[in-house]
Short mmCIF file of all heavy atoms in Angstrom, two decimals:
data_model
loop_
_atom_site.label_atom_id
_atom_site.label_comp_id
_atom_site.label_asym_id
_atom_site.label_seq_id
_atom_site.Cartn_x
_atom_site.Cartn_y
_atom_site.Cartn_z
N ILE A 1 99.94 86.32 120.83
CA ILE A 1 100.50 85.69 122.01
C ILE A 1 100.25 86.57 123.20
O ILE A 1 100.59 87.76 123.17
CB ILE A 1 102.02 85.49 121.84
CG1 ILE A 1 102.26 84.51 120.67
CG2 ILE A 1 102.65 84.96 123.10
CD1 ILE A 1 103.67 84.29 120.37
N SER A 2 99.64 86.01 124.20
CA SER A 2 99.34 86.77 125.39
C SER A 2 100.26 86.27 126.53
O SER A 2 100.20 85.11 126.90
CB SER A 2 97.90 86.57 125.87
OG SER A 2 97.05 87.13 124.88
N PRO A 3 101.13 87.16 127.01
CA PRO A 3 102.08 86.74 128.02
C PRO A 3 101.56 86.80 129.46
O PRO A 3 102.29 87.01 130.39
CB PRO A 3 103.20 87.78 127.84
CG PRO A 3 102.47 89.00 127.43
CD PRO A 3 101.31 88.52 126.57
N TYR A 4 100.24 86.61 129.64
CA TYR A 4 99.67 86.61 130.95
C TYR A 4 100.31 85.53 131.80
O TYR A 4 100.66 84.44 131.30
CB TYR A 4 98.17 86.49 130.93
CG TYR A 4 97.52 87.65 130.24
CD1 TYR A 4 96.85 87.49 129.06
CD2 TYR A 4 97.64 88.93 130.73
CE1 TYR A 4 96.25 88.54 128.37
CE2 TYR A 4 97.12 90.05 130.07
CZ TYR A 4 96.43 89.83 128.90
OH TYR A 4 95.88 90.88 128.25
N ASN A 5 100.49 85.74 133.04
CA ASN A 5 101.12 84.86 134.02
C ASN A 5 102.64 84.82 133.84
O ASN A 5 103.32 84.03 134.47
CB ASN A 5 100.61 83.41 133.90
CG ASN A 5 99.14 83.33 134.21
OD1 ASN A 5 98.62 84.11 135.07
ND2 ASN A 5 98.42 82.47 133.53
N LEU A 6 103.19 85.63 132.95
CA LEU A 6 104.64 85.73 132.80
C LEU A 6 105.10 86.96 133.54
O LEU A 6 104.38 87.97 133.68
CB LEU A 6 105.05 85.84 131.32
CG LEU A 6 104.73 84.68 130.45
CD1 LEU A 6 105.18 84.98 129.04
CD2 LEU A 6 105.37 83.42 130.96
N LEU A 7 106.32 86.93 134.03
CA LEU A 7 106.83 88.09 134.71
C LEU A 7 107.20 89.19 133.72
O LEU A 7 107.50 88.89 132.58
CB LEU A 7 108.09 87.68 135.52
CG LEU A 7 107.84 86.61 136.61
CD1 LEU A 7 109.19 86.15 137.17
CD2 LEU A 7 106.93 87.12 137.68
N ALA A 8 107.15 90.44 134.15
CA ALA A 8 107.54 91.52 133.30
C ALA A 8 109.04 91.55 133.19
O ALA A 8 109.75 92.31 133.87
CB ALA A 8 107.01 92.82 133.85
N GLN A 9 109.59 90.69 132.32
CA GLN A 9 111.03 90.56 132.11
C GLN A 9 111.29 90.46 130.64
O GLN A 9 110.41 90.31 129.84
CB GLN A 9 111.51 89.27 132.82
CG GLN A 9 111.36 89.29 134.26
CD GLN A 9 111.88 87.98 134.92
OE1 GLN A 9 112.38 87.11 134.23
NE2 GLN A 9 111.71 87.88 136.22
N PRO A 10 112.59 90.59 130.23
CA PRO A 10 112.93 90.50 128.84
C PRO A 10 112.46 89.16 128.23
O PRO A 10 112.40 88.12 128.91
CB PRO A 10 114.47 90.56 128.83
CG PRO A 10 114.81 91.25 130.08
CD PRO A 10 113.75 90.86 131.10
N ALA A 11 112.07 89.23 126.93
CA ALA A 11 111.60 88.05 126.23
C ALA A 11 111.92 88.22 124.75
O ALA A 11 112.28 89.28 124.26
CB ALA A 11 110.10 87.90 126.41
N GLU A 12 111.78 87.13 124.03
CA GLU A 12 111.96 87.19 122.58
C GLU A 12 110.95 86.27 121.92
O GLU A 12 110.47 85.27 122.42
CB GLU A 12 113.37 86.69 122.21
CG GLU A 12 113.76 85.31 122.63
CD GLU A 12 115.17 84.97 122.34
OE1 GLU A 12 116.02 85.88 122.35
OE2 GLU A 12 115.45 83.76 122.12
N ILE A 13 110.55 86.69 120.70
CA ILE A 13 109.57 85.95 119.88
C ILE A 13 110.21 85.67 118.55
O ILE A 13 110.77 86.56 117.92
CB ILE A 13 108.28 86.75 119.71
CG1 ILE A 13 107.58 86.93 121.06
CG2 ILE A 13 107.36 86.06 118.72
CD1 ILE A 13 106.30 87.74 121.02
N THR A 14 110.15 84.43 118.11
CA THR A 14 110.74 83.97 116.86
C THR A 14 109.64 83.29 116.04
O THR A 14 108.89 82.49 116.58
CB THR A 14 111.89 82.98 117.12
OG1 THR A 14 112.81 83.56 118.03
CG2 THR A 14 112.56 82.63 115.85
N VAL A 15 109.59 83.63 114.74
CA VAL A 15 108.66 82.98 113.82
C VAL A 15 109.53 82.19 112.82
O VAL A 15 110.44 82.78 112.17
CB VAL A 15 107.76 83.98 113.10
CG1 VAL A 15 106.87 83.30 112.08
CG2 VAL A 15 106.95 84.81 114.06
N THR A 16 109.27 80.89 112.69
CA THR A 16 110.01 80.07 111.71
C THR A 16 108.99 79.32 110.86
O THR A 16 107.83 79.12 111.21
CB THR A 16 110.86 79.00 112.44
OG1 THR A 16 110.01 78.18 113.29
CG2 THR A 16 111.92 79.68 113.29
N ASP A 17 109.45 78.91 109.67
CA ASP A 17 108.64 78.02 108.86
C ASP A 17 108.86 76.59 109.35
O ASP A 17 109.65 76.32 110.22
CB ASP A 17 108.89 78.23 107.39
CG ASP A 17 110.32 77.88 106.95
OD1 ASP A 17 111.03 77.21 107.70
OD2 ASP A 17 110.67 78.29 105.83
N LEU A 18 108.17 75.63 108.70
CA LEU A 18 108.27 74.24 109.14
C LEU A 18 109.64 73.59 108.79
O LEU A 18 109.90 72.52 109.28
CB LEU A 18 107.12 73.43 108.56
CG LEU A 18 105.75 73.83 109.10
CD1 LEU A 18 104.65 72.93 108.52
CD2 LEU A 18 105.72 73.77 110.64
N LEU A 19 110.43 74.32 108.00
CA LEU A 19 111.76 73.80 107.66
C LEU A 19 112.77 74.38 108.64
O LEU A 19 113.99 74.08 108.54
CB LEU A 19 112.15 74.16 106.25
CG LEU A 19 111.28 73.54 105.15
CD1 LEU A 19 111.70 74.03 103.79
CD2 LEU A 19 111.39 72.03 105.23
N GLY A 20 112.35 75.21 109.61
CA GLY A 20 113.23 75.72 110.62
C GLY A 20 113.89 77.05 110.24
O GLY A 20 114.70 77.57 111.00
N ARG A 21 113.53 77.63 109.09
CA ARG A 21 114.09 78.94 108.67
C ARG A 21 113.43 80.04 109.48
O ARG A 21 112.21 80.14 109.56
CB ARG A 21 113.88 79.17 107.20
CG ARG A 21 114.64 78.17 106.30
CD ARG A 21 114.35 78.40 104.89
NE ARG A 21 112.95 78.10 104.60
CZ ARG A 21 112.50 77.70 103.41
NH1 ARG A 21 113.31 77.61 102.40
NH2 ARG A 21 111.23 77.42 103.23
N GLN A 22 114.28 80.87 110.11
CA GLN A 22 113.79 81.99 110.91
C GLN A 22 113.35 83.11 109.96
O GLN A 22 114.11 83.60 109.14
CB GLN A 22 114.88 82.50 111.85
CG GLN A 22 114.41 83.62 112.73
CD GLN A 22 115.48 84.01 113.74
OE1 GLN A 22 115.94 83.19 114.48
NE2 GLN A 22 115.81 85.24 113.77
N LEU A 23 112.08 83.52 110.12
CA LEU A 23 111.50 84.54 109.25
C LEU A 23 111.30 85.88 110.01
O LEU A 23 111.21 86.94 109.40
CB LEU A 23 110.20 84.06 108.68
CG LEU A 23 110.29 82.74 107.92
CD1 LEU A 23 108.89 82.24 107.59
CD2 LEU A 23 111.12 82.88 106.69
N MET A 24 111.16 85.82 111.32
CA MET A 24 110.92 87.02 112.08
C MET A 24 111.50 86.83 113.46
O MET A 24 111.49 85.74 114.06
CB MET A 24 109.40 87.24 112.18
CG MET A 24 108.98 88.58 112.72
SD MET A 24 107.13 88.73 112.79
CE MET A 24 106.65 88.41 111.11
N TYR A 25 112.06 87.88 114.03
CA TYR A 25 112.58 87.82 115.37
C TYR A 25 112.38 89.20 116.04
O TYR A 25 112.64 90.23 115.43
CB TYR A 25 114.11 87.54 115.36
CG TYR A 25 114.78 87.63 116.70
CD1 TYR A 25 114.72 86.51 117.56
CD2 TYR A 25 115.44 88.75 117.10
CE1 TYR A 25 115.33 86.60 118.80
CE2 TYR A 25 116.06 88.83 118.35
CZ TYR A 25 115.99 87.77 119.21
OH TYR A 25 116.58 87.79 120.43
N LYS A 26 111.83 89.19 117.24
CA LYS A 26 111.64 90.41 118.01
C LYS A 26 112.09 90.18 119.43
O LYS A 26 111.77 89.11 120.03
CB LYS A 26 110.17 90.86 117.98
CG LYS A 26 109.71 91.44 116.72
CD LYS A 26 108.43 92.18 116.87
CE LYS A 26 108.37 93.27 115.84
NZ LYS A 26 107.42 94.28 116.16
N LYS A 27 112.78 91.15 119.94
CA LYS A 27 113.23 91.07 121.34
C LYS A 27 112.54 92.21 122.12
O LYS A 27 112.45 93.31 121.62
CB LYS A 27 114.74 91.22 121.41
CG LYS A 27 115.30 90.93 122.77
CD LYS A 27 116.81 90.81 122.66
CE LYS A 27 117.34 90.34 124.03
NZ LYS A 27 118.79 90.09 123.98
N PHE A 28 112.11 91.88 123.33
CA PHE A 28 111.40 92.85 124.18
C PHE A 28 112.11 93.04 125.51
O PHE A 28 112.53 92.04 126.13
CB PHE A 28 109.97 92.37 124.44
CG PHE A 28 109.18 92.21 123.20
CD1 PHE A 28 109.17 90.98 122.51
CD2 PHE A 28 108.39 93.24 122.65
CE1 PHE A 28 108.45 90.81 121.33
CE2 PHE A 28 107.67 93.06 121.48
CZ PHE A 28 107.69 91.84 120.84
N ASP A 29 112.32 94.26 125.91
CA ASP A 29 112.94 94.50 127.16
C ASP A 29 112.07 94.16 128.33
O ASP A 29 112.52 93.75 129.41
CB ASP A 29 113.39 95.98 127.28
CG ASP A 29 114.47 96.31 126.31
OD1 ASP A 29 115.30 95.42 125.99
OD2 ASP A 29 114.51 97.47 125.87
N ASN A 30 110.75 94.38 128.17
CA ASN A 30 109.81 94.21 129.26
C ASN A 30 108.44 93.74 128.68
O ASN A 30 107.64 94.57 128.27
CB ASN A 30 109.65 95.48 130.01
CG ASN A 30 108.81 95.36 131.25
OD1 ASN A 30 108.35 94.27 131.59
ND2 ASN A 30 108.64 96.45 131.97
N LEU A 31 108.25 92.43 128.61
CA LEU A 31 107.03 91.88 127.99
C LEU A 31 105.97 91.73 129.05
O LEU A 31 105.99 90.80 129.87
CB LEU A 31 107.36 90.55 127.35
CG LEU A 31 106.26 89.93 126.57
CD1 LEU A 31 105.95 90.77 125.36
CD2 LEU A 31 106.65 88.52 126.07
N ASN A 32 105.07 92.70 129.15
CA ASN A 32 104.05 92.62 130.15
C ASN A 32 102.66 92.93 129.64
O ASN A 32 101.72 93.21 130.39
CB ASN A 32 104.36 93.59 131.31
CG ASN A 32 104.52 95.02 130.86
OD1 ASN A 32 104.33 95.33 129.69
ND2 ASN A 32 104.81 95.92 131.76
N GLU A 33 102.47 92.86 128.29
CA GLU A 33 101.17 93.04 127.72
C GLU A 33 101.14 92.27 126.42
O GLU A 33 102.15 91.85 125.92
CB GLU A 33 100.86 94.55 127.45
CG GLU A 33 101.89 95.21 126.55
CD GLU A 33 101.65 96.70 126.46
OE1 GLU A 33 101.43 97.36 127.49
OE2 GLU A 33 101.63 97.18 125.32
N PRO A 34 99.92 92.01 125.85
CA PRO A 34 99.82 91.20 124.64
C PRO A 34 100.61 91.81 123.48
O PRO A 34 100.80 93.06 123.38
CB PRO A 34 98.34 91.23 124.28
CG PRO A 34 97.70 91.46 125.63
CD PRO A 34 98.61 92.37 126.38
N VAL A 35 101.14 90.98 122.60
CA VAL A 35 101.93 91.39 121.48
C VAL A 35 101.22 91.03 120.23
O VAL A 35 100.67 89.94 120.06
CB VAL A 35 103.32 90.62 121.51
CG1 VAL A 35 104.10 90.89 120.27
CG2 VAL A 35 104.07 91.02 122.76
N THR A 36 101.21 91.92 119.22
CA THR A 36 100.67 91.67 117.90
C THR A 36 101.77 91.65 116.89
O THR A 36 102.52 92.59 116.81
CB THR A 36 99.60 92.74 117.55
OG1 THR A 36 98.58 92.77 118.55
CG2 THR A 36 99.00 92.49 116.19
N LEU A 37 101.83 90.56 116.13
CA LEU A 37 102.79 90.48 115.03
C LEU A 37 102.02 90.48 113.72
O LEU A 37 101.01 89.82 113.60
CB LEU A 37 103.61 89.18 115.13
CG LEU A 37 104.42 89.00 116.40
CD1 LEU A 37 105.06 87.62 116.40
CD2 LEU A 37 105.50 90.06 116.48
N SER A 38 102.52 91.21 112.74
CA SER A 38 101.91 91.24 111.42
C SER A 38 102.37 90.10 110.57
O SER A 38 103.59 89.82 110.45
CB SER A 38 102.24 92.58 110.73
OG SER A 38 101.74 92.55 109.44
N ALA A 39 101.47 89.39 109.94
CA ALA A 39 101.77 88.29 109.03
C ALA A 39 101.67 88.73 107.58
O ALA A 39 101.69 87.92 106.67
CB ALA A 39 100.88 87.11 109.29
N SER A 40 101.56 90.02 107.37
CA SER A 40 101.32 90.56 106.01
C SER A 40 102.49 90.23 105.03
O SER A 40 102.24 90.15 103.84
CB SER A 40 101.06 92.05 106.06
OG SER A 40 102.17 92.72 106.55
N ASP A 41 103.67 90.06 105.54
CA ASP A 41 104.82 89.74 104.69
C ASP A 41 105.04 88.25 104.50
O ASP A 41 105.96 87.85 103.76
CB ASP A 41 106.07 90.35 105.25
CG ASP A 41 106.04 91.88 105.20
OD1 ASP A 41 105.31 92.45 104.35
OD2 ASP A 41 106.74 92.54 106.00
N LEU A 42 104.24 87.44 105.21
CA LEU A 42 104.41 86.02 105.08
C LEU A 42 103.50 85.41 104.03
O LEU A 42 102.29 85.73 103.98
CB LEU A 42 104.12 85.32 106.44
CG LEU A 42 105.01 85.74 107.63
CD1 LEU A 42 104.50 85.06 108.91
CD2 LEU A 42 106.44 85.34 107.37
N PRO A 43 104.03 84.50 103.24
CA PRO A 43 103.12 83.82 102.25
C PRO A 43 102.20 82.83 102.97
O PRO A 43 102.42 82.50 104.12
CB PRO A 43 104.12 83.11 101.32
CG PRO A 43 105.37 82.96 102.08
CD PRO A 43 105.40 84.10 103.05
N THR A 44 101.18 82.41 102.29
CA THR A 44 100.29 81.36 102.82
C THR A 44 101.11 80.17 103.25
O THR A 44 101.98 79.72 102.56
CB THR A 44 99.28 80.95 101.71
OG1 THR A 44 98.51 82.11 101.37
CG2 THR A 44 98.36 79.87 102.26
N GLY A 45 100.81 79.67 104.46
CA GLY A 45 101.52 78.49 104.98
C GLY A 45 101.37 78.32 106.44
O GLY A 45 100.57 79.01 107.09
N VAL A 46 102.16 77.40 107.02
CA VAL A 46 102.10 77.06 108.43
C VAL A 46 103.42 77.51 109.02
O VAL A 46 104.46 77.24 108.49
CB VAL A 46 101.89 75.56 108.60
CG1 VAL A 46 101.86 75.21 110.10
CG2 VAL A 46 100.61 75.10 107.97
N TYR A 47 103.32 78.17 110.18
CA TYR A 47 104.50 78.69 110.86
C TYR A 47 104.47 78.38 112.35
O TYR A 47 103.41 78.06 112.91
CB TYR A 47 104.54 80.23 110.70
CG TYR A 47 104.56 80.63 109.25
CD1 TYR A 47 103.40 80.92 108.51
CD2 TYR A 47 105.78 80.74 108.59
CE1 TYR A 47 103.44 81.22 107.21
CE2 TYR A 47 105.81 81.05 107.25
CZ TYR A 47 104.66 81.34 106.57
OH TYR A 47 104.71 81.66 105.25
N LEU A 48 105.63 78.42 112.95
CA LEU A 48 105.75 78.18 114.39
C LEU A 48 106.18 79.49 115.02
O LEU A 48 107.16 80.14 114.61
CB LEU A 48 106.80 77.11 114.67
CG LEU A 48 106.48 75.73 114.08
CD1 LEU A 48 107.63 74.79 114.34
CD2 LEU A 48 105.17 75.17 114.64
N VAL A 49 105.44 79.92 116.06
CA VAL A 49 105.77 81.14 116.82
C VAL A 49 106.20 80.70 118.19
O VAL A 49 105.45 80.06 118.90
CB VAL A 49 104.51 82.07 116.89
CG1 VAL A 49 104.88 83.32 117.65
CG2 VAL A 49 104.04 82.40 115.51
N ARG A 50 107.44 81.07 118.55
CA ARG A 50 107.99 80.67 119.85
C ARG A 50 108.26 81.90 120.68
O ARG A 50 108.84 82.87 120.27
CB ARG A 50 109.28 79.92 119.67
CG ARG A 50 109.96 79.64 121.04
CD ARG A 50 111.21 78.83 120.90
NE ARG A 50 110.78 77.45 120.72
CZ ARG A 50 111.56 76.48 120.27
NH1 ARG A 50 112.78 76.73 119.96
NH2 ARG A 50 111.09 75.28 120.15
N LEU A 51 107.71 81.83 121.92
CA LEU A 51 107.95 82.86 122.92
C LEU A 51 108.94 82.29 123.96
O LEU A 51 108.70 81.18 124.46
CB LEU A 51 106.67 83.26 123.61
CG LEU A 51 106.77 84.10 124.88
CD1 LEU A 51 107.34 85.46 124.56
CD2 LEU A 51 105.41 84.20 125.59
N ARG A 52 110.02 83.01 124.18
CA ARG A 52 111.01 82.54 125.17
C ARG A 52 111.23 83.66 126.19
O ARG A 52 111.37 84.81 125.84
CB ARG A 52 112.34 82.22 124.55
CG ARG A 52 112.36 81.01 123.69
CD ARG A 52 113.76 80.70 123.27
NE ARG A 52 113.73 80.05 121.95
CZ ARG A 52 114.77 79.83 121.23
NH1 ARG A 52 115.95 80.13 121.65
NH2 ARG A 52 114.63 79.20 120.06
N GLN A 53 111.27 83.23 127.45
CA GLN A 53 111.50 84.15 128.54
C GLN A 53 112.10 83.36 129.69
O GLN A 53 111.48 82.51 130.28
CB GLN A 53 110.18 84.81 129.01
CG GLN A 53 110.38 85.89 130.07
CD GLN A 53 109.09 86.47 130.50
OE1 GLN A 53 108.13 85.77 130.79
NE2 GLN A 53 109.02 87.82 130.55
N ASN A 54 113.37 83.68 130.00
CA ASN A 54 114.16 82.97 131.04
C ASN A 54 114.08 81.47 130.78
O ASN A 54 114.46 81.02 129.75
CB ASN A 54 113.66 83.30 132.43
CG ASN A 54 113.93 84.76 132.78
OD1 ASN A 54 114.91 85.34 132.28
ND2 ASN A 54 113.12 85.36 133.63
N ASN A 55 113.55 80.69 131.72
CA ASN A 55 113.44 79.25 131.59
C ASN A 55 112.11 78.79 130.97
O ASN A 55 111.83 77.61 130.91
CB ASN A 55 113.62 78.58 132.94
CG ASN A 55 115.00 78.81 133.46
OD1 ASN A 55 115.97 78.85 132.71
ND2 ASN A 55 115.16 78.90 134.78
N PHE A 56 111.30 79.73 130.51
CA PHE A 56 109.98 79.45 129.96
C PHE A 56 110.05 79.51 128.42
O PHE A 56 110.67 80.40 127.88
CB PHE A 56 108.97 80.43 130.47
CG PHE A 56 107.59 80.26 129.79
CD1 PHE A 56 106.68 79.33 130.24
CD2 PHE A 56 107.23 81.06 128.74
CE1 PHE A 56 105.48 79.17 129.62
CE2 PHE A 56 105.99 80.98 128.13
CZ PHE A 56 105.12 80.00 128.57
N SER A 57 109.41 78.55 127.75
CA SER A 57 109.32 78.57 126.30
C SER A 57 107.95 78.01 125.89
O SER A 57 107.52 77.02 126.42
CB SER A 57 110.41 77.72 125.67
OG SER A 57 110.34 77.71 124.28
N SER A 58 107.32 78.71 124.95
CA SER A 58 106.03 78.25 124.46
C SER A 58 105.99 78.41 122.96
O SER A 58 106.38 79.43 122.41
CB SER A 58 104.89 79.09 125.08
OG SER A 58 103.61 78.72 124.53
N THR A 59 105.55 77.36 122.24
CA THR A 59 105.47 77.40 120.80
C THR A 59 104.05 77.12 120.34
O THR A 59 103.42 76.23 120.85
CB THR A 59 106.40 76.35 120.17
OG1 THR A 59 107.75 76.53 120.65
CG2 THR A 59 106.39 76.38 118.64
N GLN A 60 103.60 77.94 119.41
CA GLN A 60 102.27 77.80 118.86
C GLN A 60 102.34 77.69 117.31
O GLN A 60 103.11 78.37 116.70
CB GLN A 60 101.38 79.00 119.22
CG GLN A 60 101.07 79.09 120.66
CD GLN A 60 100.13 80.25 120.98
OE1 GLN A 60 99.76 81.01 120.12
NE2 GLN A 60 99.75 80.37 122.24
N LYS A 61 101.50 76.82 116.75
CA LYS A 61 101.42 76.71 115.30
C LYS A 61 100.39 77.77 114.83
O LYS A 61 99.35 77.94 115.41
CB LYS A 61 100.90 75.28 114.93
CG LYS A 61 100.75 75.11 113.45
CD LYS A 61 100.45 73.68 113.05
CE LYS A 61 99.16 73.23 113.61
NZ LYS A 61 98.74 71.92 113.12
N VAL A 62 100.82 78.47 113.78
CA VAL A 62 99.99 79.50 113.21
C VAL A 62 99.82 79.25 111.71
O VAL A 62 100.79 78.96 111.01
CB VAL A 62 100.59 80.94 113.40
CG1 VAL A 62 99.79 82.02 112.69
CG2 VAL A 62 100.79 81.25 114.88
N ILE A 63 98.58 79.31 111.22
CA ILE A 63 98.32 79.10 109.80
C ILE A 63 97.93 80.42 109.20
O ILE A 63 97.01 81.13 109.65
CB ILE A 63 97.17 78.12 109.63
CG1 ILE A 63 97.52 76.75 110.27
CG2 ILE A 63 96.79 77.95 108.14
CD1 ILE A 63 96.39 75.75 110.32
N VAL A 64 98.67 80.83 108.15
CA VAL A 64 98.41 82.04 107.44
C VAL A 64 97.75 81.67 106.13
O VAL A 64 98.27 80.89 105.33
CB VAL A 64 99.74 82.84 107.14
CG1 VAL A 64 99.47 84.04 106.28
CG2 VAL A 64 100.39 83.22 108.45
N GLY A 65 96.53 82.19 105.92
CA GLY A 65 95.78 81.88 104.72
C GLY A 65 95.78 82.97 103.68
O GLY A 65 96.40 83.98 103.88
N ASP A 66 95.07 82.76 102.60
CA ASP A 66 94.91 83.76 101.57
C ASP A 66 94.28 85.01 102.13
O ASP A 66 93.37 84.91 102.96
CB ASP A 66 94.08 83.24 100.37
CG ASP A 66 94.81 82.14 99.64
OD1 ASP A 66 96.07 82.18 99.60
OD2 ASP A 66 94.15 81.25 99.07
N ARG A 67 94.71 86.12 101.64
CA ARG A 67 94.15 87.38 102.11
C ARG A 67 93.21 87.93 101.13
O ARG A 67 93.32 87.86 99.97
CB ARG A 67 95.26 88.37 102.37
CG ARG A 67 96.12 87.92 103.57
CD ARG A 67 97.37 88.81 103.64
NE ARG A 67 98.40 88.22 104.45
CZ ARG A 67 99.21 87.22 104.13
NH1 ARG A 67 99.15 86.70 102.91
NH2 ARG A 67 100.13 86.78 104.92
#
């Protein structure tokens, strides 16, 4: 997730499965550069990654395949 065009302000990233179960949560005090999340603990499947910052929210579908 690249937070370009976002202000350097607090933000949070949540990873959920398609059933809505939260699998990962990270909070950032100052999100002003790209973020890398490891999917090494996630089984093969489809996940939703949501970035929230103030009134902005963006969700992306991520597919984790066999390693």
Side-chain angles (χ1 to χ4, degrees):
I1 295 177
S2 295
Y4 297 115
N5 299 325
L6 297 179
L7 300 173
Q9 296 179 4
E12 59 186 30
I13 295 177
T14 307
V15 178
T16 60
D17 63 15
L18 293 181
L19 297 176
R21 294 178 292 206
Q22 182 175 306
L23 305 172
M24 192 180 304
Y25 174 82
K26 285 196 152 197
K27 190 169 187 174
F28 300 89
D29 293 329
N30 187 0
L31 187 64
N32 59 1
E33 58 186 47
V35 173
T36 302
L37 299 175
S38 174
S40 62
D41 292 335
L42 298 175
T44 299
V46 179
Y47 300 93
L48 300 175
V49 179
R50 173 177 282 165
L51 168 66
R52 289 188 211 173
Q53 186 181 47
N54 292 333
N55 294 327
F56 174 82
S57 179
S58 175
T59 303
Q60 294 182 356
K61 179 172 63 172
V62 176
I63 301 171
V64 175
D66 291 331
R67 294 168 196 79

